[in-house]
Structure formats: structure tokens, C-alpha cells
Amino acid sequence: MQDGLRWGVLGAAAFARKTMAPAIHRAERAQFSALATRDRGKAAAFQAFAPGLRLHDSYDDLLTDPEIDAIYIPLPNAMHAEWCERAVRAGKAVLCEKPIALSLAEIDDLIAVRDTTGRFLAEAWMPAHHPQWDRVAQILSDGGIGRLHSVTGVFAFPLRDPANVRNSADLGGGALRDVGVYPIGTFRRATGLEPEVTAAEAVLEQGVDASTWVQARAGDVRFSFYVSMRADLRQEMVFHGSDGSIVVEAPFNPGSYGEAALHWRRAGQDELRIRFPAVDQYKLQVEAVSASLLDGAPFACPLEFSRGTQAVIDAVLRAI
């Protein structure tokens, strides 16, 4: 474990296959070593880029594999808290896909488990590891757009498969739980403020929110955003101040959505477009786990940060 972490993936989810398992495979000081899936047919796509991969037929077998140091969990939302606790109690470091839990109570339980066991446990919220958000936070802190006035955000995508787990109330689906962590979390990370929900409404379908609109405020700063699984693909975060503004063009999924870039407008000065080409935030996230475990470096998205975002999500759910 001193030279790197040996990773196992708990389930052959499409996101793990397309994004996170390849990121583990690319990351320095990380080795994608094992996969747990009952469907050997799904394993073939993982073995295509990791031919030495060990396969386990059950999740429990992966958790007891002595040659695995860290587990990545991409299971449906409603299963996250349970399997996080089981993996940590089995002695593994755990990185769990967002949302790591479905309520503040569940996150509080996970914090207690983490502290009792002394194991690494965190949410896979990748914007924490992208340098564009360090730059936004620095500009705001330096007064680069004057006094912050308002923040707006959107994360929308068209989900056309009715059988997708995001459409299942039993599995913790809905637009807010799936992608609400992004506008809420990036607002909190960039500003250091904690928003209080003042109003929310949603379009509900089969017990989940297909689209949700939220109004919030943090002191004098207004924050509004919407998330949707029924609208055309769009991502954006806008920070508007007394002396300028910042438009984050691809705030959440740079690369697949568009190039990571900030459009910084300043009163009386030339506009700047600050680019972040070829940054792999998923790879950086995996490497951040290694840095935390092997070097003692602070992890940019601890459970306490996830808890703050979950508090806003809980408030929105109460409002709708």
C-alpha cells in the first residue's frame, strides 16, 4: 500500500465503466485491481482496458479481498450509505459516488463510522478537485467582481430511459438527488457561504422530482438554481457582483460537456477568458485519495463538506 492503492469497484455501473474505473486505471499511485459483479458479461468492458482484473461474484467477496486497499462505490443512491459502512467496517478506504447518503442523519452516521474506524470515507464530488473552482474562489475572495450580489446555476439533461434508476423513488432517484449537489456544492465552495432555502417547487413524476427550481439566500447574496432530467443538456454557474461577473462555462462535467473556462468580466477592464484545457478531474480525484492516505494531505471534499450540501438538499425536499 505504500507505493499506491489497489482499488476495487463495487458493481458494474455504466458510469464506473465509462468514467471512474478508467480514471482509476490512469491515475498515478493507483491500480484498478478488482471488480464485483454478478454479470460476467458486464465485466468484459472493464477487462478490455484492465486485462488483469480480478472478478468477484458478490460484493461481500470484494470487501473481504485482502489485496484491495480502496473501494469505489457506484451503486444506486439508496444503497450508498449501507455499503459505505460495510466497506469501511471491512477495513477498506471508500470513495462513494454522489450523493453519498440520502439525509443528514445518514451522513452523521457515516461520520461516526469514519471516526470510530479511522478509515478514509468520502464522497466522489469531482468539482472539488478541479482547479477552475480554486480560481473562482480566489477571484471572489480578492474582490475581483466587487461585492457579490447573486449567483445562478443550472444542471439539466434529457433522461429518456424510463427504466433508469434516476426515475426510481425506491432507489433514491430524482434530479435534485442526482445533480443538485453540483450547483449547491460549487456555490458553497466558491463563496464559503451557507445558503438557506427560501422557496422551492418541483415537477414530480412517479414519486421523484423530474425538475426542481430553488431560491435561497446567504446574507445579502441571493442564490437560485434549477436541475432537471427532462430538459436539454445545459450547465452553467454565474457569479454576479457590484463590479463584474464570472461565468463558469462548463462547471460540472468539463470535457464531456465543454471546455473548462471562466469568462471574467470586470468593470472598466478587458474581459478575460481563463481556460483549463485537458484537466482530468476524475483522475485528480483518485490521486487525491492516494495523497490523503499515503501522504496525509487534506482531502478537498470531506464528509463535513458533503453534510453541508445535504443540509440544503434536505431543506429543498421539505419545501417541495
Side-chain angles (χ1 to χ4, degrees):
M1 182 170 171
Q2 294 304 308
D3 296 329
L5 302 181
R6 300 165 297 181
W7 285 81
V9 173
L10 200 72
F15 184 76
R17 181 184 76 247
K18 297 175 183 177
T19 303
M20 276 304 298
I24 294 169
H25 188 65
R26 292 192 302 270
E28 297 181 10
R29 299 202 294 176
Q31 179 181 347
F32 178 32
S33 300
L35 171 71
T37 177
R38 298 180 182 89
D39 187 345
R40 291 298 177 105
K42 291 183 178 180
F46 292 84
Q47 291 174 310
F49 62 86
L53 197 64
R54 294 195 310 283
L55 300 181
H56 293 288
D57 292 324
S58 77
Y59 297 162
D60 285 318
D61 286 348
L62 178 60
L63 298 190
T64 57
D65 186 337
E67 297 185 20
I68 293 298
D69 306 307
I71 300 287
Y72 167 66
I73 299 177
L75 300 174
N77 296 344
M79 302 172 68
H80 287 177
E82 174 191 354
W83 282 97
C84 279
E85 179 170 355
R86 293 175 70 165
V88 167
R89 291 196 183 281
K92 309 303 184 186
V94 176
L95 183 68
C96 179
E97 196 48 55
K98 54 75 193 166
I100 196 169
L102 298 184
S103 69
L104 276 182
E106 285 189 349
I107 291 187
D108 285 340
D109 288 344
L110 292 179
I111 289 173
V113 170
R114 178 202 64 187
D115 293 347
T116 298
T117 62
R119 296 292 177 177
F120 178 94
L121 173 59
E123 183 177 54
W125 189 71
M126 69 283 187
H129 310 282
H130 199 292
Q132 70 174 346
W133 287 106
D134 293 328
R135 190 61 183 275
V136 173
Q138 189 63 55
I139 292 171
L140 295 178
S141 177
D142 291 345
I145 62 171
R147 180 179 58 82
L148 184 61
H149 178 269
S150 62
V151 180
T152 58
V154 56
F155 193 149
F157 61 99
L159 183 63
R160 297 186 172 91
D161 178 8
N164 190 283
V165 295
R166 294 171 179 84
N167 290 315
S168 170
D170 290 341
L171 295 177
L176 183 67
R177 280 180 166 149
D178 186 44
V179 296
V181 294
Y182 294 116
I184 297 168
T186 51
F187 172 89
R188 296 178 59 241
R189 188 176 191 277
T191 66
L193 300 173
E194 298 297 340
E196 295 185 4
V197 175
T198 58
E201 61 176 304
V203 174
L204 301 178
E205 298 178 7
Q206 300 178 351
V208 301
D209 65 303
S211 302
T212 293
W213 296 260
V214 178
Q215 298 289 331
R217 63 182 297 166
D220 294 332
V221 178
R222 269 64 173 179
F223 174 38
S224 63
F225 71 92
Y226 70 90
V227 292
S228 179
M229 305 188 297
R230 302 292 187 264
D232 189 45
L233 185 65
R234 186 180 170 207
Q235 299 181 17
E236 189 177 71
M237 288 290 289
V238 179
F239 299 81
H240 195 184
S242 59
D243 301 321
S245 62
I246 305 167
V247 178
V248 188
E249 299 176 2
F252 313 127
N253 298 120
S256 61
Y257 178 74
E259 183 184 59
L262 313 179
H263 195 174
W264 182 12
R265 296 182 177 91
R266 299 169 293 170
Q269 301 186 49
D270 292 338
E271 297 180 3
L272 294 178
R273 189 169 186 269
I274 305 169
R275 301 171 59 240
F276 298 84
V279 173
D280 185 344
Q281 62 183 349
Y282 298 102
K283 175 175 174 285
L284 291 177
Q285 179 175 244
V286 175
E287 292 173 349
V289 176
S290 294
S292 179
L293 285 168
L294 303 178
D295 306 330
F299 191 71
C301 184
L303 286 180
E304 287 76 9
F305 181 86
S306 299
R307 188 186 190 279
T309 296
Q310 185 64 49
V312 180
I313 292 174
D314 282 6
V316 174
L317 291 173
R318 288 193 298 270
I320 63 176

PDB file of all heavy atoms in Angstrom, residues 156 233-236 249-259:
ATOM      1  N   ALA A 156     -29.040  20.610 -16.290  1.00  0.00           N
ATOM      2  CA  ALA A 156     -30.175  19.933 -16.925  1.00  0.00           C
ATOM      3  C   ALA A 156     -29.671  18.934 -17.949  1.00  0.00           C
ATOM      4  O   ALA A 156     -28.653  19.155 -18.608  1.00  0.00           O
ATOM      5  CB  ALA A 156     -31.092  20.954 -17.604  1.00  0.00           C
ATOM      6  N   LEU A 233     -29.660  19.449 -22.557  1.00  0.00           N
ATOM      7  CA  LEU A 233     -28.398  19.486 -21.820  1.00  0.00           C
ATOM      8  C   LEU A 233     -27.910  20.925 -21.640  1.00  0.00           C
ATOM      9  O   LEU A 233     -27.746  21.670 -22.594  1.00  0.00           O
ATOM     10  CB  LEU A 233     -27.341  18.669 -22.569  1.00  0.00           C
ATOM     11  CG  LEU A 233     -25.984  18.504 -21.888  1.00  0.00           C
ATOM     12  CD1 LEU A 233     -26.135  17.699 -20.616  1.00  0.00           C
ATOM     13  CD2 LEU A 233     -25.003  17.816 -22.838  1.00  0.00           C
ATOM     14  N   ARG A 234     -27.695  21.301 -20.393  1.00  0.00           N
ATOM     15  CA  ARG A 234     -27.159  22.630 -20.106  1.00  0.00           C
ATOM     16  C   ARG A 234     -26.525  22.640 -18.726  1.00  0.00           C
ATOM     17  O   ARG A 234     -27.074  22.076 -17.775  1.00  0.00           O
ATOM     18  CB  ARG A 234     -28.253  23.698 -20.157  1.00  0.00           C
ATOM     19  CG  ARG A 234     -27.681  25.122 -20.008  1.00  0.00           C
ATOM     20  CD  ARG A 234     -28.754  26.178 -20.050  1.00  0.00           C
ATOM     21  NE  ARG A 234     -28.180  27.463 -19.670  1.00  0.00           N
ATOM     22  CZ  ARG A 234     -28.863  28.459 -19.112  1.00  0.00           C
ATOM     23  NH1 ARG A 234     -30.154  28.305 -18.860  1.00  0.00           N
ATOM     24  NH2 ARG A 234     -28.277  29.589 -18.804  1.00  0.00           N
ATOM     25  N   GLN A 235     -25.352  23.290 -18.645  1.00  0.00           N
ATOM     26  CA  GLN A 235     -24.666  23.517 -17.374  1.00  0.00           C
ATOM     27  C   GLN A 235     -24.133  24.939 -17.364  1.00  0.00           C
ATOM     28  O   GLN A 235     -23.606  25.415 -18.364  1.00  0.00           O
ATOM     29  CB  GLN A 235     -23.479  22.562 -17.197  1.00  0.00           C
ATOM     30  CG  GLN A 235     -23.820  21.097 -17.175  1.00  0.00           C
ATOM     31  CD  GLN A 235     -22.581  20.227 -16.977  1.00  0.00           C
ATOM     32  OE1 GLN A 235     -21.531  20.703 -16.547  1.00  0.00           O
ATOM     33  NE2 GLN A 235     -22.698  18.949 -17.281  1.00  0.00           N
ATOM     34  N   GLU A 236     -24.252  25.589 -16.216  1.00  0.00           N
ATOM     35  CA  GLU A 236     -23.682  26.928 -16.088  1.00  0.00           C
ATOM     36  C   GLU A 236     -23.782  27.384 -14.639  1.00  0.00           C
ATOM     37  O   GLU A 236     -24.738  27.063 -13.940  1.00  0.00           O
ATOM     38  CB  GLU A 236     -24.419  27.925 -16.980  1.00  0.00           C
ATOM     39  CG  GLU A 236     -23.756  29.297 -17.066  1.00  0.00           C
ATOM     40  CD  GLU A 236     -24.473  30.224 -18.017  1.00  0.00           C
ATOM     41  OE1 GLU A 236     -25.599  30.673 -17.679  1.00  0.00           O
ATOM     42  OE2 GLU A 236     -23.935  30.484 -19.109  1.00  0.00           O
ATOM     43  N   GLU A 249     -18.287  28.229 -17.593  1.00  0.00           N
ATOM     44  CA  GLU A 249     -18.931  27.740 -18.812  1.00  0.00           C
ATOM     45  C   GLU A 249     -19.226  26.248 -18.784  1.00  0.00           C
ATOM     46  O   GLU A 249     -20.223  25.799 -19.362  1.00  0.00           O
ATOM     47  CB  GLU A 249     -18.069  28.099 -20.016  1.00  0.00           C
ATOM     48  CG  GLU A 249     -17.890  29.610 -20.182  1.00  0.00           C
ATOM     49  CD  GLU A 249     -16.964  29.966 -21.327  1.00  0.00           C
ATOM     50  OE1 GLU A 249     -16.478  29.039 -22.020  1.00  0.00           O
ATOM     51  OE2 GLU A 249     -16.710  31.173 -21.534  1.00  0.00           O
ATOM     52  N   ALA A 250     -18.361  25.477 -18.192  1.00  0.00           N
ATOM     53  CA  ALA A 250     -18.579  24.028 -18.060  1.00  0.00           C
ATOM     54  C   ALA A 250     -18.279  23.661 -16.610  1.00  0.00           C
ATOM     55  O   ALA A 250     -17.249  23.076 -16.298  1.00  0.00           O
ATOM     56  CB  ALA A 250     -17.684  23.246 -19.018  1.00  0.00           C
ATOM     57  N   PRO A 251     -19.178  24.000 -15.704  1.00  0.00           N
ATOM     58  CA  PRO A 251     -18.852  23.962 -14.276  1.00  0.00           C
ATOM     59  C   PRO A 251     -18.733  22.575 -13.675  1.00  0.00           C
ATOM     60  O   PRO A 251     -18.013  22.394 -12.696  1.00  0.00           O
ATOM     61  CB  PRO A 251     -20.019  24.724 -13.638  1.00  0.00           C
ATOM     62  CG  PRO A 251     -21.151  24.565 -14.598  1.00  0.00           C
ATOM     63  CD  PRO A 251     -20.525  24.551 -15.943  1.00  0.00           C
ATOM     64  N   PHE A 252     -19.447  21.594 -14.243  1.00  0.00           N
ATOM     65  CA  PHE A 252     -19.563  20.310 -13.557  1.00  0.00           C
ATOM     66  C   PHE A 252     -18.921  19.149 -14.319  1.00  0.00           C
ATOM     67  O   PHE A 252     -18.259  18.320 -13.707  1.00  0.00           O
ATOM     68  CB  PHE A 252     -21.041  19.993 -13.293  1.00  0.00           C
ATOM     69  CG  PHE A 252     -21.805  21.156 -12.722  1.00  0.00           C
ATOM     70  CD1 PHE A 252     -22.978  21.590 -13.312  1.00  0.00           C
ATOM     71  CD2 PHE A 252     -21.344  21.836 -11.606  1.00  0.00           C
ATOM     72  CE1 PHE A 252     -23.688  22.675 -12.799  1.00  0.00           C
ATOM     73  CE2 PHE A 252     -22.032  22.917 -11.079  1.00  0.00           C
ATOM     74  CZ  PHE A 252     -23.211  23.338 -11.688  1.00  0.00           C
ATOM     75  N   ASN A 253     -19.121  19.085 -15.603  1.00  0.00           N
ATOM     76  CA  ASN A 253     -18.570  17.995 -16.419  1.00  0.00           C
ATOM     77  C   ASN A 253     -17.716  18.525 -17.558  1.00  0.00           C
ATOM     78  O   ASN A 253     -17.996  18.260 -18.729  1.00  0.00           O
ATOM     79  CB  ASN A 253     -19.686  17.118 -16.999  1.00  0.00           C
ATOM     80  CG  ASN A 253     -20.507  16.431 -15.940  1.00  0.00           C
ATOM     81  OD1 ASN A 253     -21.703  16.626 -15.855  1.00  0.00           O
ATOM     82  ND2 ASN A 253     -19.859  15.621 -15.123  1.00  0.00           N
ATOM     83  N   PRO A 254     -16.675  19.317 -17.254  1.00  0.00           N
ATOM     84  CA  PRO A 254     -15.815  19.775 -18.345  1.00  0.00           C
ATOM     85  C   PRO A 254     -15.195  18.589 -19.059  1.00  0.00           C
ATOM     86  O   PRO A 254     -14.902  17.562 -18.468  1.00  0.00           O
ATOM     87  CB  PRO A 254     -14.758  20.621 -17.639  1.00  0.00           C
ATOM     88  CG  PRO A 254     -14.778  20.156 -16.225  1.00  0.00           C
ATOM     89  CD  PRO A 254     -16.182  19.740 -15.936  1.00  0.00           C
ATOM     90  N   GLY A 255     -15.037  18.744 -20.340  1.00  0.00           N
ATOM     91  CA  GLY A 255     -14.560  17.629 -21.165  1.00  0.00           C
ATOM     92  C   GLY A 255     -15.723  17.033 -21.914  1.00  0.00           C
ATOM     93  O   GLY A 255     -15.837  17.193 -23.125  1.00  0.00           O
ATOM     94  N   SER A 256     -16.616  16.376 -21.200  1.00  0.00           N
ATOM     95  CA  SER A 256     -17.772  15.781 -21.858  1.00  0.00           C
ATOM     96  C   SER A 256     -18.809  16.838 -22.238  1.00  0.00           C
ATOM     97  O   SER A 256     -19.493  16.717 -23.256  1.00  0.00           O
ATOM     98  CB  SER A 256     -18.415  14.717 -20.966  1.00  0.00           C
ATOM     99  OG  SER A 256     -18.864  15.282 -19.750  1.00  0.00           O
ATOM    100  N   TYR A 257     -18.926  17.910 -21.431  1.00  0.00           N
ATOM    101  CA  TYR A 257     -19.888  18.966 -21.743  1.00  0.00           C
ATOM    102  C   TYR A 257     -19.262  20.077 -22.585  1.00  0.00           C
ATOM    103  O   TYR A 257     -19.863  20.586 -23.521  1.00  0.00           O
ATOM    104  CB  TYR A 257     -20.464  19.557 -20.455  1.00  0.00           C
ATOM    105  CG  TYR A 257     -21.422  20.692 -20.701  1.00  0.00           C
ATOM    106  CD1 TYR A 257     -22.706  20.443 -21.181  1.00  0.00           C
ATOM    107  CD2 TYR A 257     -21.044  22.017 -20.487  1.00  0.00           C
ATOM    108  CE1 TYR A 257     -23.591  21.480 -21.431  1.00  0.00           C
ATOM    109  CE2 TYR A 257     -21.924  23.061 -20.722  1.00  0.00           C
ATOM    110  CZ  TYR A 257     -23.196  22.790 -21.202  1.00  0.00           C
ATOM    111  OH  TYR A 257     -24.068  23.823 -21.455  1.00  0.00           O
ATOM    112  N   GLY A 258     -18.058  20.456 -22.258  1.00  0.00           N
ATOM    113  CA  GLY A 258     -17.358  21.531 -22.951  1.00  0.00           C
ATOM    114  C   GLY A 258     -16.053  21.819 -22.242  1.00  0.00           C
ATOM    115  O   GLY A 258     -15.728  21.203 -21.231  1.00  0.00           O
ATOM    116  N   GLU A 259     -15.313  22.764 -22.767  1.00  0.00           N
ATOM    117  CA  GLU A 259     -14.027  23.097 -22.165  1.00  0.00           C
ATOM    118  C   GLU A 259     -14.226  23.853 -20.865  1.00  0.00           C
ATOM    119  O   GLU A 259     -15.071  24.749 -20.762  1.00  0.00           O
ATOM    120  CB  GLU A 259     -13.199  23.956 -23.118  1.00  0.00           C
ATOM    121  CG  GLU A 259     -11.814  24.283 -22.564  1.00  0.00           C
ATOM    122  CD  GLU A 259     -11.030  25.210 -23.460  1.00  0.00           C
ATOM    123  OE1 GLU A 259     -11.506  26.336 -23.727  1.00  0.00           O
ATOM    124  OE2 GLU A 259      -9.933  24.814 -23.888  1.00  0.00           O
TER     125      GLU A 259
END
